[in-house]
Amino acid sequence: MGVEGTIEYISDLLSSVKKKKKKKQMQTVALKVRMDCDGCARKMKSVLSSVKGAKSVDVDLKQQKVTVTGFVEPKKVLAAAKATKKKVEIWPYVPYSIVSNPYVSQAYDKKAPPNHVRAIPATATVTESTMDDHYTNMFSDENPNACSIM
């Protein structure tokens, strides 16, 4: 086998290491899809079940939620769903108990399912406006011009 054969063997061994693909993780992708009828739900289910790696597709027409489980990439699932010409976005809601300030204006959504609020970044906090500050000073004991009704 000589020196040349050894070098070729090592070269082939190293090149095969680079070519290995990462194994995809099992993922669950939830989408909010505007669906009006059972026909829309069937169409979404058939389109998303044809995505490479999709193991199961669950459609909840009442919540307008589609859940895809399998060895899929969220971007590919979103692109396939948008190909149906429906209004599609990644599921924006989280359970009410997870959010630290569920009454922040960005979190509240009338269209959210029961016990869910819109997912917001952790940087969103409750802030007082200057108007709120004005009202607290109006009824303060330290303010000599405060309201004396109380």
Side-chain angles (χ1 to χ4, degrees):
M1 184 157 149
V3 175
E4 290 178 353
T6 307
I7 293 174
E8 284 183 47
Y9 175 75
I10 293 172
S11 172
D12 290 340
L13 186 64
L14 292 174
S15 65
S16 68
V17 170
K18 292 178 185 176
K19 292 180 183 177
K20 284 187 179 179
K21 291 183 179 180
K22 290 184 179 178
K23 196 171 188 180
K24 292 182 183 176
Q25 294 286 336
M26 181 78 136
Q27 289 188 341
T28 301
V29 181
L31 301 173
K32 180 180 177 185
V33 182
R34 168 84 185 197
M35 296 179 288
D36 299 321
C37 60
D38 290 332
C40 298
R42 269 185 268 126
K43 183 176 181 181
M44 287 303 295
K45 187 166 186 160
S46 68
V47 167
L48 293 177
S49 60
S50 67
V51 173
K52 185 179 178 183
K55 297 294 179 194
S56 69
V57 179
D58 298 322
V59 179
D60 186 353
L61 192 60
K62 185 176 181 182
Q63 287 188 351
Q64 302 207 352
K65 180 179 182 179
V66 178
T67 308
V68 181
T69 306
F71 301 99
V72 294
E73 294 179 25
K75 289 182 182 179
K76 288 185 179 181
V77 173
L78 187 63
K82 284 186 177 182
T84 62
K85 307 281 192 223
K86 302 267 182 222
K87 185 178 177 186
V88 180
E89 63 179 313
I90 298 291
W91 187 251
Y93 304 116
V94 294
Y96 180 82
S97 59
I98 292 177
V99 179
S100 59
N101 293 321
Y103 296 111
V104 175
S105 62
Q106 298 98 347
Y108 182 73
D109 188 359
K110 285 194 278 188
K111 296 178 183 177
N115 299 326
H116 284 75
V117 292
R118 191 170 277 278
I120 57 169
T123 57
T125 59
V126 179
T127 57
E128 290 185 5
S129 65
T130 57
M131 190 61 115
D132 294 339
D133 191 34
H134 176 71
Y135 287 130
T136 56
N137 286 338
M138 188 184 307
F139 293 101
S140 173
D141 289 335
E142 286 115 28
N143 185 358
N145 299 324
C147 181
S148 61
I149 295 173
M150 301 179 110

